[in-house]
Each structure stands twice: as C-alpha cells, then as structure tokens.
Amino acid sequence: MFIVMVAPECAPVAKAGGLGDVVFGLSHELEIRGHAVEIVLPKYAGMRYEDVWDLQPSHHDLWVPWYDGTVHCTVWFGYVHGRKCFFIEPHSQDNFFGRERMYGYDDDALRYAFFCKAALEYLAASGKRPEVVHCHDWHTGLLPVLLYEQYAQVLGDQRVCYTIHNFCHQGLTSPEVLWATRLGRVDHFLAQDRLGDDTHHGAVNPMKGGVVYANFVTTVSDTHAAEARYGDSACGLGHTLHRYQDKFGGVLNGVDYDVWNPETDPYIPAPYSASTIERKYLNKEALRERFMLRKSWSPLVAYVGRVDEQKGMHLVHHALFRTLAAGGQFVLMGQEQKHNGINGHFQHLKDHLNNNPDSHLELSYQEELAHLVLAGADLLVVPSLFEPCGLIPLMAMRYGTVPVVRATGGMRDTVFDRDHGEHADDRRNGYVFQHTDNQAIDSALQRAFGLWTDYPEDFRSLMLNGMRADHSWHRPADHYLDIYEHIRHK
Ligand code: GLC
C-alpha cells in the first residue's frame, strides 16, 4: 500500500511531544512490512537539520491557492533516519514556518490550514496517489475537508485516517480560514454538523472538521477513546464522536524499539538488557555525574515531558519534595511551553534548588539526554490529569524504569499496579494512583520507595516485567493496516 502521513511533527527533526515519535515509529514499522510511506511536513526554520540526510529541493514550483492569490512553495526532500520526508517551504510574507518555534503563534490556525492545502496541492501536482492519507491532530483536521470539498476530482480515491493525539487543542479559529482556503460558504461550513464549534458560536473547529470528513478517526488508546466518547475528555467533541462512533476507535501507540532500546542505545554509556540489568546502575552513576548529583544509596526518580498543566505539574512539584524528604533524588527534564504560567514556577524552583545535591531541573527537552534519564532513573512519575496514550512510561519500562502513574487514558491500558488489581503477577509493572491530590501520589511513591529499599529482588522483578512487555509497533501497525484496508474498500 502507498501511505502518505501528513503531520506537524516527526521525530527527531521536528518534535514537540509524543506525536513526533508516533509519526516516525509507525511509518518505520509500515515500511518494514513492505509498504511505501512518505511523510509530509512543514519546513520549519528551527528543525534539527543535522538529522535530515541529503536534503534537496524536489519540487520547485508548487503554487498553492490562498485567499485570492497563490503562494509559491518549494518542496524539499530528505531522509530522516531512513524515513522519506517532504518538507513544504512557502515563500510569502507570512513566513509561516520560518519562525523560531513550531507552535504558539496567533496565526497558527492559518499556518496549518495553509499546510493542509499545500500538502494536497503537492499530491495533485506531483501525481502521487496514495491509497491512504494518514493525518494527525488539529493541525491537519482541515485536510480531509479540503480533500473532499476541493480535490475530489483530482485525488478521487484517497482515503483519510485521522488520528487525534490531544483533544485539548482543536485549533479553534475565525471563519477567515474559510476564505483563506477558498472553502468560502461560511454559513454552510459553520453549521454544527460540519465545522462549526459546538460551544463557541461562529468559530471554525478544524479538529471537528477532521472527525466529520475523515473516513476513520482514531485516538491513541482504547481507554482514551472511551473517555472521549462517554466522558468529558474530548473537550466538547464528545457529541460529534458519538455521532460518528462507527468510524471511531482507539489504537494504542507503540514505541520504536530501534530508537528506544537499552541494548543498542548510543546515547547511554552502559548498554544493557533484561539479562544484564545490573549494568543499568552504571547509567545511574553517569546520570548523577551529568547532573552533578551526589553519589548515594537512594532511589532516583525522574519526570520527563512537557511542563504543561495536562501533565499534572502540581503533583510533579509535590513528588519532587516528597522524594527529597524520603532521602531520594529527583531529576526533571521538561520542555518549556510558551504562554504557560507554570513555566515561571519551575524556573523559580530550579533557582531555589540550584545547590541541592539531590535534584536537578533541566528546563528544556533534549532527545539524547532523555535516553540517559530513562536509563539512569529507578522510577518515573507521570501524574497527568489526562493522558491520551502516554509514551514516556512505555519507553521507561523498556529501560527497566518503573512507572508511577495516574490511572488515566492510555496509562490505564499499559501500567498495572504492583499491589492492587486483577493482573497476573508477571504483568504488574508499576504503581498506579487514582486521584489528583497529593495524598494519592504520596501513597504510590511510598509503596515504591518501600519496595526499592526493603525488597530489592521484588523491585527487580517489577523492572523486568516492564522490560519484557511488548510495546513495539508490531501490534499497533497491524491495527492501523486493518483500518487502512477497511477504509480502502468502503
Ligand atoms: C500527545 C498525548 C500523549 C500521547 C502522544 C502521542 O502528546 O498527550 O498522551 O502519548 O500525543 O500520541
């Protein structure tokens, strides 16, 4: 099958979160199975260009209709660790992607509407006719809309699979986007059964457009799919999902085990596997050295991820102090989110703990360093308020790092409590708590510290259970291929 991924991110060149890992990992697995996969991305100024091999213009003259004119684009081609990537570079005063960051601009909705339109123009102009276009998150929600409304004649047989990684960001914007993309007909598209937002009257909701127009819609775990449909986790889209329940489901993400593999990891000083797990402690030493933590016989707890309200940062804050009070060490590596009040808080905390030999706060995300943190830590806290999938705990388990997570979204499907629940002993792989208050995470951490300190052999079994579980892309790719086949023949 020929599949084109259209996405705002692809790891490691353009990654803000797990979405980037998914686009890379799923594409990789599909290619291993013999499918042809191409990835279309914006050409961001701030990409990690050192990870793109043989970058060169592949299409010089792409003219993308925009308002009542056209925007000239160059499409670049390059390999990202083996994946075939096409990068769209518009030449216009708007300078859509030639900016410092990927996201967080007032015109984000227009930037990505343009991206969707350009991606389709590119398929049309280059003669590429994938069987399936797989697009991701609100940024590409307008793609199936534009495909159906404007490109059906040229790109008639393309089917769209639309994956939602985060319902919290839906790309709400004014109807101007309808003029910019030449969809026009404001009343028609603003109708509640098309792109009109259910609560913000008069606003265009690109993610809703994706749900309504795509041939199949997924989110990244079964539990989150149910939460979104029946609970309030879909941030206002529950009704729409319910309406389209026949084409909506959960597919749990996988992890690319070629990238996240402690046995072959080039970013850690002492590679190890389940049978040489004692070598993990060499990495713990290296991590301590790297962050100038003192050597001691104590558990090392990590938080890795965006510094964002979604992640339950007040509980991360609490876990940090609890860990220090219990004689442990704490490492945080979190990416700063612009326009986010929490940020200042952790910067302040960093200054406050500057000379503390048992903690380190790294307020930026560094891919290579993330490998060392996961390899060096004993425990990983993920107290998210909501978590569609939660890739970090899956990666952590691969490195024998025991997750301490809140029971929400995909983490309900992947992390099973050591002491409670109905899972067989050899599937229990972490600690799970329910509530979002301090006591909840306290009791989970306390249980974890207790096992680490008093029953090291049992703690080791927990580590091994995590390492042995299969969270590769193997099963999820089967699942996506079934979906692709299903929509192709509809
Ligand atoms: C988003 C979600 C996260 C998920 C990731 C990849 O970042 O918040 O739970 O793992 O997308 O799908």
Side-chain angles (χ1 to χ4, degrees):
M1 214 185 294
F2 177 22
I3 300 133
V4 168
M5 298 270 169
V6 182
E9 297 182 25
C10 177
V13 264
K15 164 170 163 175
L19 160 60
D21 293 302
V22 170
V23 170
F24 181 91
L26 175 59
S27 304
H28 188 191
E29 179 70 25
L30 293 170
E31 275 183 53
I32 293 173
R33 313 271 184 106
H35 299 284
V37 185
E38 296 182 357
I39 305 171
V40 180
L41 298 156
K43 187 167 180 289
Y44 299 108
M47 291 195 313
R48 287 178 37 148
Y49 281 93
E50 66 273 24
D51 282 302
V52 192
W53 187 69
D54 208 16
L55 186 65
Q56 50 183 286
S58 99
H59 205 98
H60 280 286
D61 283 310
L62 185 72
W63 294 92
V64 180
W66 191 240
Y67 288 98
D68 46 13
T70 46
V71 173
H72 178 211
C73 298
T74 305
V75 183
W76 296 72
F77 172 77
Y79 288 97
V80 173
H81 296 251
R83 310 286 74 70
K84 294 190 177 112
C85 293
F86 292 84
F87 302 95
I88 294 180
E89 178 187 35
H91 308 287
S92 82
Q93 297 215 320
D94 291 314
N95 190 29
F96 282 141
F97 305 118
R99 307 180 189 178
E100 190 196 340
R101 287 172 276 126
M102 290 199 277
Y103 312 135
Y105 298 98
D106 289 343
D107 60 345
D108 277 0
L110 283 173
R111 295 169 67 221
Y112 287 101
F114 180 84
F115 173 58
C116 292
K117 184 114 179 156
L120 290 169
E121 263 319 306
Y122 173 59
L123 294 184
S126 60
K128 290 183 180 173
R129 298 295 179 265
E131 273 97 7
V132 172
V133 179
H134 190 161
C135 50
H136 300 264
D137 261 356
W138 76 263
H139 317 77
T140 55
L142 288 181
L143 187 137
V145 181
L146 296 167
L147 176 60
Y148 182 82
E149 299 284 351
Q150 299 180 329
Y151 293 84
Q153 301 241 304
V154 199
L155 303 168
D157 287 332
Q158 275 64 49
R159 299 300 156 122
V160 180
C161 176
Y162 179 47
T163 296
I164 296 173
H165 300 259
N166 196 336
F167 282 100
C168 209
H169 304 284
Q170 302 185 1
L172 249 59
T173 186
S174 77
E176 184 179 341
V177 74
L178 299 171
W179 298 117
T181 53
R182 296 194 189 171
L183 283 165
R185 295 196 288 159
V186 172
D187 290 341
H188 175 80
F189 286 110
L190 269 187
Q192 298 269 300
D193 55 358
R194 293 195 184 82
L195 278 63
D197 189 70
D198 288 354
T199 38
H200 299 84
H201 188 68
V204 171
N205 183 329
M207 182 173 277
K208 184 172 181 182
V211 174
V212 173
Y213 280 76
N215 301 95
F216 206 89
V217 182
T218 69
T219 187
V220 288
S221 67
D222 273 334
T223 294
H224 196 60
E227 287 171 343
R229 235 184 94 187
Y230 304 111
D232 52 8
S233 300
C235 306
L237 278 185
H239 176 71
T240 309
L241 292 172
H242 204 71
R243 188 158 156 230
Y244 291 101
Q245 55 183 294
D246 292 344
K247 60 165 190 177
F248 174 61
V251 181
L252 188 68
N253 287 332
V255 170
D256 192 322
Y257 281 170
D258 283 349
V259 179
W260 300 95
N261 179 355
E263 240 181 308
T264 55
D265 195 324
Y267 305 120
I268 62 175
Y272 60 101
S273 67
S275 54
T276 55
I277 196 166
E278 57 296 335
R279 287 172 57 79
K280 180 171 164 61
Y281 297 102
L282 300 172
N283 297 299
K284 184 170 176 178
E285 287 312 310
L287 178 60
R288 282 177 165 148
E289 247 167 66
R290 171 74 193 242
F291 286 155
M292 292 186 289
L293 302 180
R294 72 168 149 195
K295 289 190 179 175
S296 70
W297 186 80
S298 60
L300 201 158
V301 182
Y303 171 80
V304 178
R306 287 177 284 130
V307 176
D308 188 343
E309 212 161 336
Q310 171 197 341
K311 302 291 179 183
M313 296 315 291
H314 65 291
L315 295 175
V316 173
H317 172 115
H318 183 75
L320 190 166
F321 286 101
R322 272 309 295 208
T323 302
L324 297 182
Q329 298 186 315
F330 199 97
V331 163
L332 175 145
M333 185 164 75
Q335 202 169 306
E336 293 192 90
Q337 306 290 295
K338 299 281 168 192
H339 316 298
N340 176 340
I342 294 169
N343 232 6
H345 178 78
F346 277 85
Q347 186 58 54
H348 186 76
L349 208 57
K350 183 180 165 74
D351 297 342
H352 175 69
L353 292 168
N354 200 16
N355 296 320
N356 187 308
D358 290 320
S359 72
H360 180 87
L361 276 62
E362 187 72 37
L363 293 180
S364 67
Y365 180 81
Q366 297 163 46
E367 188 80 2
E368 288 81 6
L369 205 48
H371 290 247
L372 181 62
V373 175
L374 293 184
D378 298 298
L379 294 156
L380 176 92
V381 287
V382 195
S384 307
L385 304 184
F386 71 93
E387 197 62 80
C389 171
L391 281 174
I392 290 285
L394 301 183
M395 293 163 175
M397 286 195 274
R398 185 65 172 167
Y399 284 75
T401 301
V402 173
V404 180
V405 308
R406 199 177 149 248
T408 180
M411 300 195 298
R412 275 184 184 274
D413 303 341
T414 52
V415 182
F416 309 121
D417 193 272
R418 156 115 205 319
D419 305 315
H420 307 296
E422 71 275 16
H423 289 93
D425 281 355
D426 63 352
R427 292 196 68 204
R428 297 182 177 213
N429 52 17
Y431 290 92
V432 181
F433 58 95
Q434 305 289 329
H435 299 291
T436 55
D437 51 51
N438 293 346
Q439 284 82 350
I441 193 168
D442 267 359
S443 78
L445 276 176
Q446 214 172 340
R447 288 190 289 132
F449 291 154
L451 197 74
W452 189 91
T453 312
D454 299 330
Y455 302 96
E457 281 308 311
D458 293 354
F459 191 83
R460 182 171 287 212
S461 313
L462 213 51
M463 296 164 71
L464 290 172
N465 287 350
M467 287 185 92
R468 289 185 185 129
D470 179 6
H471 285 293
S472 69
W473 272 103
H474 193 78
R475 243 171 310 170
D478 282 346
H479 205 144
Y480 276 116
L481 284 166
D482 285 346
I483 292 171
Y484 298 164
E485 284 298 340
H486 169 72
I487 58 182
R488 258 179 87 186
H489 299 296
K490 250 195 354 185

